Amino acid sequence: MATLDRSRLASLLAAEQATYTDRHPRSRDLFAAADNLFGRVPMTWMNMWTGGFPLYLDHATGNRITDVDGHTYVDFALGDTGAMAGHSPAPTVAAVQRRAGELGGITTMLPTEDAQWVGAELERRFGLPLWSFTLSATDANRWAIRLARLATGRPKVLVFAYCYHGSVDEAFALPGPDGKAESRPGNVAPPVDLDLTTRVATWNDLASVEAALAHGDVAAVLTEPALTNIGIVLPEDGFLAGVRELATRYGALLMVDETHTFSTGWGGATRAWGLEPDIFVIGKSIGGGIPCGAYGITTEVAAAVTRHTEAGDADIVDVGGVGGTLAGNALSTAAMRATLGEVLTEEAFAHMTGLATAFTAGVQQTLDELDVPWSISQLGARAEYRFARPAPRTGEKSAAAADEELDAYLHLALCNRGILMTPFHNMALMCPETSREDVDRHTAVFREVVGALFA
Ligand SMILES: Cc1ncc(COP(=O)(O)O)c(C=O)c1O
């Protein structure tokens, strides 16, 4: 088995860093001049890009990004799923132009016909009958958690260690030594002790799920169908069915967040794997990049909520804590209609999944040839490599396989050779415009840069 030589990694990383700095003088200058931005970036997480400063965008189309220094990249980051439909897909752009320009009315507080079309399409894909719209997946999770608490009369949310569901307070938890939820390191000023709001279980460990649910205080199990924010950690056979069965047995709702796992297919993992969530959450991609999100609920959840609103002990139409002024606006519903109707179609998913399979095989070939102890996991149109072999089966084990120096080397080496990977991950996502040539280019570059490391 190949072993990693840390001093070799350090010198390769230094060389890639120097190349990156030399190749991007304009991005570097713009970053240095951004005195009025906290952290010098529009949002602090943009400092996750490796290299000391982010690339500045000049223009983007399909799966290509061109930076302000004139370099063009094959983009496998795709806005960490926000641009899964490709950059500025033509049908979405046309719908947005029509809504904002020709028709007029970006945000009016009035519904448009598009919203019902989108609701019906979401039911066709994911099965749940009743939908509300948001401006982000984070909002969808937050508001749906409130409904889950209301519907069940229970205070806590059960999450999995190393999950991520956006900036949702309840979800930044790890299991403490006594099994109670503890705040995850780095969690910014949690409003209350996590033990008051959260229970935590271990992915692929049904005994831990049952132990948490047995307390009888969990309103909803909030989960992705596969963990995607600590590498991709796939569910073992029977795990998701077991979670569903346990949630029902202990009176908790099952809340499935498919913001990333939508990559599994046109109906997400929910359709592909026959999941039966009580609440379904999605965001990022379905508006083709225009801010939007959605949550779907069953008629049973809706009835439980309505019992409370009719009794007057909860308010979902005014200042009760569910909703936002811009949510469901005419522009984002027009974007969702066009993106779901004309871009992220069944045919597009077949194309994207085929390419991710080729991407996965290309990476695996290098790992096998050089006997590198890493793994790659695929989830439909996305794939991600992780520095552990075999692929970790829990969030805890996957977290232990993290290696910041290796991440930095791979991200910079690929970037210097014209390939962008998602900064928080070693994740590659295919969009309708990704081609086999783009995948083959990654395969060749990956072989080159991993070969240099294990030479
Ligand atoms: C599974 C999952 N849910 C929700 C979110 C939050 O999405 P947003 O930041 O667009 O609100 C993310 C973000 O990465 C996510 O991965």
PDB file of all heavy atoms in Angstrom, residues 80 136-138 141 164-166 224 229 257 259-260 284, ligand 1:
ATOM      1  N   ASP A  80     -21.506  24.175  -5.185  1.00  0.00           N
ATOM      2  CA  ASP A  80     -21.836  23.171  -4.170  1.00  0.00           C
ATOM      3  C   ASP A  80     -23.315  22.767  -4.268  1.00  0.00           C
ATOM      4  O   ASP A  80     -24.042  22.702  -3.269  1.00  0.00           O
ATOM      5  CB  ASP A  80     -21.470  23.654  -2.751  1.00  0.00           C
ATOM      6  CG  ASP A  80     -21.521  22.513  -1.743  1.00  0.00           C
ATOM      7  OD1 ASP A  80     -21.409  21.352  -2.169  1.00  0.00           O
ATOM      8  OD2 ASP A  80     -21.688  22.788  -0.543  1.00  0.00           O
ATOM      9  N   SER A 136     -34.142  29.446   0.855  1.00  0.00           N
ATOM     10  CA  SER A 136     -32.939  28.619   1.013  1.00  0.00           C
ATOM     11  C   SER A 136     -33.351  27.312   1.676  1.00  0.00           C
ATOM     12  O   SER A 136     -34.423  27.217   2.292  1.00  0.00           O
ATOM     13  CB  SER A 136     -31.901  29.328   1.885  1.00  0.00           C
ATOM     14  OG  SER A 136     -32.368  29.394   3.219  1.00  0.00           O
ATOM     15  N   ALA A 137     -32.452  26.331   1.565  1.00  0.00           N
ATOM     16  CA  ALA A 137     -32.705  25.050   2.240  1.00  0.00           C
ATOM     17  C   ALA A 137     -32.641  25.232   3.745  1.00  0.00           C
ATOM     18  O   ALA A 137     -33.352  24.556   4.500  1.00  0.00           O
ATOM     19  CB  ALA A 137     -31.681  24.022   1.774  1.00  0.00           C
ATOM     20  N   THR A 138     -31.793  26.151   4.201  1.00  0.00           N
ATOM     21  CA  THR A 138     -31.719  26.421   5.638  1.00  0.00           C
ATOM     22  C   THR A 138     -33.084  26.863   6.156  1.00  0.00           C
ATOM     23  O   THR A 138     -33.585  26.334   7.153  1.00  0.00           O
ATOM     24  CB  THR A 138     -30.679  27.533   5.918  1.00  0.00           C
ATOM     25  OG1 THR A 138     -29.402  27.071   5.522  1.00  0.00           O
ATOM     26  CG2 THR A 138     -30.664  27.913   7.380  1.00  0.00           C
ATOM     27  N   ASN A 141     -35.533  23.992   6.292  1.00  0.00           N
ATOM     28  CA  ASN A 141     -35.317  23.136   7.466  1.00  0.00           C
ATOM     29  C   ASN A 141     -35.830  23.800   8.736  1.00  0.00           C
ATOM     30  O   ASN A 141     -36.498  23.168   9.554  1.00  0.00           O
ATOM     31  CB  ASN A 141     -33.824  22.818   7.615  1.00  0.00           C
ATOM     32  CG  ASN A 141     -33.404  21.643   6.742  1.00  0.00           C
ATOM     33  OD1 ASN A 141     -34.079  20.627   6.702  1.00  0.00           O
ATOM     34  ND2 ASN A 141     -32.288  21.778   6.051  1.00  0.00           N
ATOM     35  N   TYR A 164     -24.938  18.013   8.175  1.00  0.00           N
ATOM     36  CA  TYR A 164     -25.052  19.462   7.956  1.00  0.00           C
ATOM     37  C   TYR A 164     -26.380  19.714   7.247  1.00  0.00           C
ATOM     38  O   TYR A 164     -26.694  19.044   6.251  1.00  0.00           O
ATOM     39  CB  TYR A 164     -23.888  20.008   7.110  1.00  0.00           C
ATOM     40  CG  TYR A 164     -23.962  21.515   6.933  1.00  0.00           C
ATOM     41  CD1 TYR A 164     -23.684  22.366   7.992  1.00  0.00           C
ATOM     42  CD2 TYR A 164     -24.350  22.074   5.713  1.00  0.00           C
ATOM     43  CE1 TYR A 164     -23.781  23.752   7.850  1.00  0.00           C
ATOM     44  CE2 TYR A 164     -24.446  23.460   5.564  1.00  0.00           C
ATOM     45  CZ  TYR A 164     -24.157  24.282   6.634  1.00  0.00           C
ATOM     46  OH  TYR A 164     -24.260  25.652   6.497  1.00  0.00           O
ATOM     47  N   HIS A 165     -27.150  20.660   7.773  1.00  0.00           N
ATOM     48  CA  HIS A 165     -28.446  20.988   7.166  1.00  0.00           C
ATOM     49  C   HIS A 165     -28.588  22.493   6.999  1.00  0.00           C
ATOM     50  O   HIS A 165     -29.702  23.025   7.080  1.00  0.00           O
ATOM     51  CB  HIS A 165     -29.580  20.423   8.030  1.00  0.00           C
ATOM     52  CG  HIS A 165     -29.579  18.925   8.116  1.00  0.00           C
ATOM     53  ND1 HIS A 165     -30.091  18.117   7.119  1.00  0.00           N
ATOM     54  CD2 HIS A 165     -29.081  18.077   9.059  1.00  0.00           C
ATOM     55  CE1 HIS A 165     -29.936  16.846   7.454  1.00  0.00           C
ATOM     56  NE2 HIS A 165     -29.315  16.793   8.623  1.00  0.00           N
ATOM     57  N   GLY A 166     -27.474  23.201   6.770  1.00  0.00           N
ATOM     58  CA  GLY A 166     -27.513  24.652   6.746  1.00  0.00           C
ATOM     59  C   GLY A 166     -27.328  25.177   8.163  1.00  0.00           C
ATOM     60  O   GLY A 166     -27.034  24.425   9.102  1.00  0.00           O
ATOM     61  N   GLU A 224     -30.236  13.468   5.937  1.00  0.00           N
ATOM     62  CA  GLU A 224     -30.078  13.258   4.506  1.00  0.00           C
ATOM     63  C   GLU A 224     -30.182  11.751   4.264  1.00  0.00           C
ATOM     64  O   GLU A 224     -29.839  10.953   5.153  1.00  0.00           O
ATOM     65  CB  GLU A 224     -28.699  13.718   4.047  1.00  0.00           C
ATOM     66  CG  GLU A 224     -28.401  15.185   4.159  1.00  0.00           C
ATOM     67  CD  GLU A 224     -27.027  15.487   3.555  1.00  0.00           C
ATOM     68  OE1 GLU A 224     -26.010  15.336   4.255  1.00  0.00           O
ATOM     69  OE2 GLU A 224     -26.971  15.855   2.379  1.00  0.00           O
ATOM     70  N   ASN A 229     -21.990  15.805   3.741  1.00  0.00           N
ATOM     71  CA  ASN A 229     -21.203  16.961   4.160  1.00  0.00           C
ATOM     72  C   ASN A 229     -20.024  16.579   5.041  1.00  0.00           C
ATOM     73  O   ASN A 229     -19.428  17.428   5.705  1.00  0.00           O
ATOM     74  CB  ASN A 229     -22.116  17.963   4.889  1.00  0.00           C
ATOM     75  CG  ASN A 229     -23.037  18.678   3.905  1.00  0.00           C
ATOM     76  OD1 ASN A 229     -22.581  19.470   3.083  1.00  0.00           O
ATOM     77  ND2 ASN A 229     -24.327  18.387   3.955  1.00  0.00           N
ATOM     78  N   ASP A 257     -33.905  15.557   4.166  1.00  0.00           N
ATOM     79  CA  ASP A 257     -33.338  16.747   3.514  1.00  0.00           C
ATOM     80  C   ASP A 257     -32.564  16.302   2.272  1.00  0.00           C
ATOM     81  O   ASP A 257     -31.494  15.707   2.372  1.00  0.00           O
ATOM     82  CB  ASP A 257     -32.423  17.449   4.533  1.00  0.00           C
ATOM     83  CG  ASP A 257     -31.716  18.678   3.952  1.00  0.00           C
ATOM     84  OD1 ASP A 257     -31.834  18.926   2.743  1.00  0.00           O
ATOM     85  OD2 ASP A 257     -31.032  19.371   4.731  1.00  0.00           O
ATOM     86  N   THR A 259     -31.378  18.269  -0.186  1.00  0.00           N
ATOM     87  CA  THR A 259     -30.726  19.408  -0.831  1.00  0.00           C
ATOM     88  C   THR A 259     -29.522  18.970  -1.675  1.00  0.00           C
ATOM     89  O   THR A 259     -29.312  19.490  -2.772  1.00  0.00           O
ATOM     90  CB  THR A 259     -30.309  20.416   0.258  1.00  0.00           C
ATOM     91  OG1 THR A 259     -31.491  20.792   0.963  1.00  0.00           O
ATOM     92  CG2 THR A 259     -29.668  21.646  -0.326  1.00  0.00           C
ATOM     93  N   HIS A 260     -28.745  18.034  -1.169  1.00  0.00           N
ATOM     94  CA  HIS A 260     -27.607  17.513  -1.938  1.00  0.00           C
ATOM     95  C   HIS A 260     -27.938  16.189  -2.630  1.00  0.00           C
ATOM     96  O   HIS A 260     -27.515  15.950  -3.763  1.00  0.00           O
ATOM     97  CB  HIS A 260     -26.410  17.273  -1.015  1.00  0.00           C
ATOM     98  CG  HIS A 260     -25.626  18.518  -0.707  1.00  0.00           C
ATOM     99  ND1 HIS A 260     -24.559  18.523   0.148  1.00  0.00           N
ATOM    100  CD2 HIS A 260     -25.748  19.796  -1.154  1.00  0.00           C
ATOM    101  CE1 HIS A 260     -24.048  19.754   0.230  1.00  0.00           C
ATOM    102  NE2 HIS A 260     -24.770  20.542  -0.552  1.00  0.00           N
ATOM    103  N   LYS A 284     -31.278  24.958  -2.922  1.00  0.00           N
ATOM    104  CA  LYS A 284     -30.126  25.144  -3.800  1.00  0.00           C
ATOM    105  C   LYS A 284     -30.460  25.012  -5.286  1.00  0.00           C
ATOM    106  O   LYS A 284     -30.563  25.998  -5.983  1.00  0.00           O
ATOM    107  CB  LYS A 284     -29.011  24.164  -3.446  1.00  0.00           C
ATOM    108  CG  LYS A 284     -28.397  24.380  -2.064  1.00  0.00           C
ATOM    109  CD  LYS A 284     -27.005  23.784  -2.003  1.00  0.00           C
ATOM    110  CE  LYS A 284     -26.448  23.791  -0.595  1.00  0.00           C
ATOM    111  NZ  LYS A 284     -25.061  23.420  -0.513  1.00  0.00           N
TER     112      LYS A 284
HETATM  113  C1  LIG B   1     -28.059  18.802   3.198  1.00  0.00           C
HETATM  114  C2  LIG B   1     -28.088  20.292   3.258  1.00  0.00           C
HETATM  115  N1  LIG B   1     -29.200  20.915   3.682  1.00  0.00           N
HETATM  116  C3  LIG B   1     -29.282  22.248   3.735  1.00  0.00           C
HETATM  117  C4  LIG B   1     -28.221  23.034   3.356  1.00  0.00           C
HETATM  118  C5  LIG B   1     -28.358  24.522   3.430  1.00  0.00           C
HETATM  119  O1  LIG B   1     -28.402  25.086   2.182  1.00  0.00           O
HETATM  120  P1  LIG B   1     -28.369  26.691   2.075  1.00  0.00           P
HETATM  121  O2  LIG B   1     -27.005  27.073   2.589  1.00  0.00           O
HETATM  122  O3  LIG B   1     -28.512  26.949   0.620  1.00  0.00           O
HETATM  123  O4  LIG B   1     -29.452  27.214   2.907  1.00  0.00           O
HETATM  124  C6  LIG B   1     -27.049  22.442   2.914  1.00  0.00           C
HETATM  125  C7  LIG B   1     -25.894  23.254   2.513  1.00  0.00           C
HETATM  126  O5  LIG B   1     -24.851  22.786   2.140  1.00  0.00           O
HETATM  127  C8  LIG B   1     -26.982  21.037   2.864  1.00  0.00           C
HETATM  128  O6  LIG B   1     -25.878  20.415   2.464  1.00  0.00           O
END
